[in-house]
Structure formats: structure tokens, C-alpha cells
Amino acid sequence: MEDLGKLKKRTAWLSIFSNTTLVILKLMVGLYVGAVSLISEALHSGTDLIAALIAFWAVHKSELPPDKEHDYGHGKYENLSAAVEALLIVGAAIGIVYEAVDKFHRAETPEFLEYGIAIMVIAIVINFIVSRRLIRVAKLTGSQALEADGLHLSADIWTSVGVLTGLVLMQLTGWAWLDPVIAIFVAGIIFRAGWRMIVESAAELTDASLAPEEEEAIGAIFDHVPEVRGWHCLRTRKSGSYKLLDVHILFDGNMHLSRVHAVCDEIEQAIRAQFGTFDVLIHAEPVDGHTQDTKKSVYEDAHDTHPLVDPYK
């Protein structure tokens, strides 16, 4: 766990360093060349830098152990940072459209475009390498903050490609209006990525269940344990890098308590072996008085009796 935490922090620092470098280079070249598109791109990279700082903060906070105010840990900070980054992506897309529309009225072909072309090629290469690294580490550690930052940089690659294409075509043709047209097209791609991230972040912040295929795989683990007579009331959710579940599992009423406890430990280990970090809470019940049709959610159980009654009371 500690090693994964260090890996996440090192990767977040890599994103901060690369974004800081690109902001400085783009701004310097943009001011020298006099290209508004490059200056806008530097400001866009500035949002990437802010996003990287947010991701680093979220990764640090999410690694803190549970305390009196956060009994379940601090994993939600990662979900919150992902939501903020998604809003930044959408905001950047809207800003690009605004700047592109404004360029239609004052389009000019700047000089020394070769410098701008060179810096955009460098930016594309750096962002590709760093974004792949962020997403790879995010998949390994389950960090939504790093994944959001990686997707943010991936979206920025398309922005850079659009700006690069516009600069090249302007240099070849002198058609300054090509720059805003390409910028609007790229902004649409960025907006779509940002909107998808908003939907995913909102789902996890509101404790949406894990994907059906994941819940089915969890149920398969229960079914493959010989001592398990049935299960119901399965509930799942995600908090940052952590996945959580609670479930009621039925055992033979004559089974010794120590054996029930050992089987529950085996189930927890099997779940973590397949899914990684997982907070598992098992409520063991005797099989007496239950039918074999026990694979229901707590809400289905409540509906079968009294729909308006809280099943936990």
C-alpha cells in the first residue's frame, strides 16, 4: 500500500513538472511570435497545471488513514478532484470556442510560425508520454485523480494537434481563418471528454454501485465457496482508489463461529486478490428461516415486505 502511494505521488509530481515547463515555453514563444493561438494554448496548459496540482493534493489526501471525522478514510477527495478537473476541461473548451469566434473578426497571420510549430510538436510528445504514464499508474493503483489528470492531458494532445495543424496550414497558405475553425472542432472533442468525466465523477460522489459485471464477479466468488448457502443484500460503491461492499451471507446454523469467521476471511482475501484494494463487510446469518432465493438487494428485500419501511430499522 505504501509503495503504491509513493508511486501515485511521484507520478503526480511528473505531471506538475511537465505542465509547468509547457506553460512557460508556450507563453514565451507565443509572445515572441505574436500568435494568439499559442498564447491561448499556454493558458490552456495553465489549466492543466492547476489540474495536476489538484490531483497531487487529492492523491496526498486520499492516502491519509481514517480519522475521527472520516471513518471510511479520505478516498472521496480523489473523486472530488476528478470532478473539478472535469469542470476545468469543459471550461477550457468553452474558452477555446470563445477565442476562436473572436479570431474570425481579427484573423492575422503571425510571423515566425516555425517557432510555434516546433513548440507544439514538443508539447504533443511530452503530453503523450506523461498522459500514458498517468493513465497506466492510475489503472495500477485505482486512482481516479491520476486517471482524470491523464485524460485531461490526452484531451490537451488533441488541442495541440489542432493548433499545430492550424499553424502549419497558415504558414503554407496564409489563410489565418483556418486556425479558429480547427480550434472549434477540437473544442468539441475536449468538451465531450470533460462531460464524460463529469458524469463518472458525479456517479462516484453519489455512491453509485460498481458495474454489473463486477458485482456478478463478486457473486461468483460467494457461489464458489462450499460453506456459503446463499447471500443477499449486496451493496457496493467506490471511494477514490478504494472499493467497498457489504453483504449478508448465509451459513449452516450449526457451523462453529470460528469456522464462519475463517470462511469470511477467505472470501475477503479472494475478493482482494481479484479486485485489489477492497473494504469488505460481511454480515453472517444462519440459514434457518431463509429460502434459497436469497440473491437480492436490500431494496428488493424491503419491497417484498413493506416498501416504505427502512430495512435497517
Side-chain angles (χ1 to χ4, degrees), residues 36-37 40-41 43 89-107 179-188 190-191:
V36 178
S37 59
S40 299
E41 180 64 11
L43 296 178
I89 291 177
V90 171
I94 295 173
I96 290 171
V97 172
Y98 176 82
E99 289 294 328
V101 171
D102 187 55
K103 288 178 188 177
F104 277 114
H105 304 292
R106 53 182 180 84
D179 190 19
V181 169
I182 295 174
I184 292 175
F185 175 75
V186 174
I190 296 173
F191 183 88

Side-chain angles (χ1 to χ4, degrees), residues 17-309:
F17 176 77
S18 65
N19 280 300
T20 301
T21 302
L22 290 178
V23 168
I24 294 173
L25 291 176
K26 288 178 182 178
L27 189 58
M28 290 176 59
V29 175
L31 292 173
Y32 178 75
V33 173
V36 178
S37 59
L38 279 175
I39 297 175
S40 299
E41 180 64 11
L43 296 178
H44 183 215
S45 293
T47 66
D48 293 341
L49 176 57
I50 295 173
L53 291 170
I54 293 173
F56 179 79
W57 171 80
V59 166
H60 173 71
K61 289 290 291 186
S62 67
E63 291 297 318
L64 295 177
D67 53 32
K68 293 182 179 180
E69 289 77 26
H70 302 86
D71 292 331
Y72 289 94
H74 301 76
K76 287 293 183 183
Y77 279 102
E78 288 202 33
N79 305 127
L80 180 61
S81 74
V84 173
E85 288 188 44
L87 292 175
L88 284 174
I89 291 177
V90 171
I94 295 173
I96 290 171
V97 172
Y98 176 82
E99 289 294 328
V101 171
D102 187 55
K103 288 178 188 177
F104 277 114
H105 304 292
R106 53 182 180 84
E108 296 179 357
T109 304
E111 299 179 354
F112 307 110
L113 284 174
E114 59 273 12
Y115 296 116
I117 293 172
I119 194 62
M120 294 315 303
V121 171
I122 294 173
I124 290 170
V125 173
I126 292 177
N127 281 340
F128 178 81
I129 295 173
V130 175
S131 65
R132 294 306 96 188
R133 174 66 176 174
L134 285 168
I135 293 174
R136 184 164 59 251
V137 173
K139 297 298 183 183
L140 177 63
T141 62
S143 172
Q144 192 189 29
L146 290 180
E147 182 179 11
D149 196 19
L151 291 174
H152 196 161
L153 286 181
S154 295
D156 191 40
I157 292 174
W158 289 107
T159 307
S160 300
V161 169
V163 174
L164 174 63
T165 303
L167 293 175
V168 171
L169 290 177
M170 277 193 293
Q171 188 175 41
L172 294 177
T173 66
W175 296 343
W177 57 268
L178 286 172
D179 190 19
V181 169
I182 295 174
I184 292 175
F185 175 75
V186 174
I189 298 175
I190 296 173
F191 183 88
R192 182 175 179 273
W195 180 255
R196 182 173 63 85
M197 288 175 58
I198 288 176
V199 172
E200 292 177 355
S201 300
E204 295 198 5
L205 284 171
T206 53
D207 286 337
S209 301
L210 298 180
E213 54 269 21
E214 290 185 287
E215 291 195 342
E216 290 177 5
I218 292 171
I221 292 176
F222 301 151
D223 294 336
H224 280 83
V225 177
E227 292 87 349
V228 172
R229 298 297 181 86
W231 54 273
H232 62 161
C233 298
L234 172 64
R235 300 191 304 169
T236 62
R237 64 187 178 95
K238 190 175 181 182
S239 177
S241 305
Y242 295 89
K243 296 178 181 178
L244 304 92
L245 75 81
D246 59 80
V247 63
H248 295 201
I249 295 183
L250 305 182
F251 295 93
D252 188 333
N254 296 318
M255 186 182 296
H256 195 278
L257 179 60
S258 61
R259 179 55 186 162
V260 172
H261 186 272
V263 173
C264 289
D265 286 343
E266 293 173 5
I267 293 173
E268 292 179 19
Q269 293 172 6
I271 292 174
R272 295 189 181 107
Q274 182 169 342
F275 294 95
T277 304
F278 221 122
D279 189 332
V280 181
L281 177 61
I282 299 175
H283 177 72
E285 296 181 358
V287 74
D288 302 335
H290 288 79
T291 66
Q292 290 302 309
D293 185 20
T294 58
K295 299 176 182 179
K296 302 177 181 179
S297 73
V298 68
Y299 307 105
E300 291 172 321
D301 286 344
H303 183 72
D304 288 343
T305 53
H306 303 285
L308 301 180
V309 175

